[in-house]
Amino acid sequence: MTETAPPQPVTDTAQDRKTALAGLFDRSAPTYERVGVSHFAELGRRLVGHADILPGDRLLDVGCGTGAVLVPAAEATGFTGSAIGVDLSCGMVDRSREALRAAGLTHAHAVVADAETIDWDAGEHAVPPPANGSLDAVFAGISMFFFPHPRQAAARYRELLSPRGRLAISWWGRPDPRWDPVFAASAPYGRGGSSHALPEDSPFRSVEALHAMLEEAGFAAVETVEQQYVTRFRGTHQWWDWVWSTAGRMFWEQVPASSMEHAKAAVDAELDRLRAPDGSLTNTSAVRFTIARTQPSTATETMP
Ligand SMILES: C[S@@+](CC[C@H](N)C(=O)[O-])C[C@H]1O[C@@H](n2cnc3c(N)ncnc32)[C@H](O)[C@@H]1O
């Protein structure tokens, strides 16, 4: 029944990977957070809550997407502060701009640029890139593990931060083990490509590895808390819509058309086993929030 899938196309340079990601997120941008499932918005609010933002703070949000972090961060800093969101995907940046406009947050901007380097031509965008030492917080909400060079990016953020600055990162812990059979059912049909597959040397493989990387990048105090987040789906249709609205679509875009029907049936059979009597589904993800400060934290700054 299973067709042997050809090998995954090799994207062997960092630039290839970034171009592929920009395309992927451009395709998900029209429906991201718009299929009736609340997911990234709540995680964004939680990340901002962990970062102790004060009115007047100057902020950067890397991989800003549709504004899940950027909007609550800009609300927290208020009109005396500033916030810049950066994303590779034009579709995502358009959505962030729309969200900022709708919320009246005129002190916040979103630009299409590479978040690893934060270096763009001042004349090409509404705002110049931030100067070294000028930022109170850099946010990376569910984004930094996509970067080909997270170590260099962390060192760049350290340069941009002021003496009381912090880098606030959200990233995934262990996926819900109840869903393992769903992903096992789909795996034979794909070409091995998953947006969340981490390279062997990724610092996002463990809390210890991330802390070591951030300390090497020059951060003085690093803390992580892990929280559970339950995502609810009305039924299997809504789950499918949601997958296609996120980076999860990368796997499904690579399933050959000739095996798509079988692949979906295999997954639907596993989803059926997870459904509650009312047909709904829940997925409990472990989400990690890491705060890295440029100086040792004071007692009042320690994470809950
Ligand atoms: C899963 S989305 C998260 C978006 C948003 N922060 C949120 O919490 O909903 C990841 C985002 O990171 C962006 N991204 C990935 N690599 C990037 C890079 N090198 N520079 C800028 N943006 C990047 C993607 O385009 C995408 O919008």
Side-chain angles (χ1 to χ4, degrees):
M1 181 181 88
T2 310
E3 191 176 281
T4 308
Q8 190 189 5
V10 177
T11 58
D12 52 0
T13 69
Q15 194 46 53
D16 285 344
R17 176 156 169 78
K18 289 178 188 179
T19 305
L21 277 173
L24 177 79
F25 282 102
D26 275 345
R27 293 189 293 282
S28 66
T31 54
Y32 191 91
E33 284 290 273
R34 278 182 173 161
V35 298
V37 177
S38 173
H39 187 77
F40 295 102
E42 170 58 20
L43 299 182
R45 280 191 289 272
R46 287 192 195 183
L47 182 62
V48 173
H50 285 299
D52 304 322
I53 298 305
L54 298 174
D57 276 353
R58 295 146 303 166
L59 315 176
L60 174 72
D61 177 21
V62 298
C64 65
T66 59
V69 175
L70 184 59
V71 169
E75 284 169 349
T77 195
F79 289 99
T80 55
S82 62
I84 305 173
V86 175
D87 204 288
L88 281 177
S89 153
C90 300
M92 287 298 211
V93 167
D94 284 346
R95 290 274 316 271
S96 263
R97 288 178 181 154
E98 235 177 271
L100 293 173
R101 254 196 318 274
L105 298 167
T106 50
H107 60 298
H109 300 273
V111 302
V112 179
D114 186 353
E116 284 196 326
T117 49
I118 307 296
D119 179 23
W120 58 83
D121 189 339
E124 281 178 20
H125 293 288
V127 279
N132 286 355
S134 71
L135 295 174
D136 300 301
V138 175
F139 287 101
I142 314 290
S143 60
M144 213 169 149
F145 50 82
F146 288 110
F147 299 180
H149 308 113
R151 289 174 176 79
Q152 285 96 316
R156 178 76 184 111
Y157 305 150
R158 175 68 189 79
E159 277 175 358
L160 291 169
L161 285 164
S162 68
R164 63 169 283 270
R166 56 263 187 229
L167 170 61
I169 306 171
S170 59
W171 52 297
W172 303 123
R174 169 80 169 93
D176 188 335
R178 291 185 313 123
W179 284 66
D180 287 353
V182 175
F183 299 107
S186 63
Y189 298 94
R191 294 177 183 170
S194 154
S195 55
H196 292 151
L198 296 172
E200 278 302 311
D201 64 346
S202 172
F204 289 94
R205 285 187 167 259
S206 71
V207 172
E208 293 71 27
L210 184 63
H211 284 208
M213 184 276 267
L214 292 168
E215 281 158 15
E216 275 164 36
F219 288 92
V222 186
E223 280 181 279
T224 296
V225 293
E226 183 170 298
Q227 296 178 345
Q228 303 298 306
Y229 181 66
V230 181
T231 311
R232 297 176 196 285
F233 307 94
R234 278 195 305 276
T236 52
H237 284 297
Q238 195 180 38
W239 180 78
W240 280 109
D241 288 347
W242 182 77
V243 168
W244 282 92
S245 75
T246 69
R249 67 183 292 142
M250 179 189 272
F251 175 89
W252 291 98
E253 286 179 347
Q254 294 174 1
V255 173
S258 54
S259 11
M260 187 60 96
E261 205 181 314
H262 288 306
K264 289 179 97 169
V267 166
D268 278 337
E270 293 301 335
L271 291 174
D272 273 344
R273 287 188 240 285
L274 287 178
R275 288 165 73 174
D278 66 357
S280 66
L281 293 156
T282 54
N283 181 296
T284 305
S285 1
V287 188
R288 290 170 179 162
F289 299 94
T290 298
I291 304 293
R293 297 178 196 276
T294 53
Q295 290 187 351
S297 47
T298 62
T300 53
E301 287 174 333
T302 305
M303 291 178 84

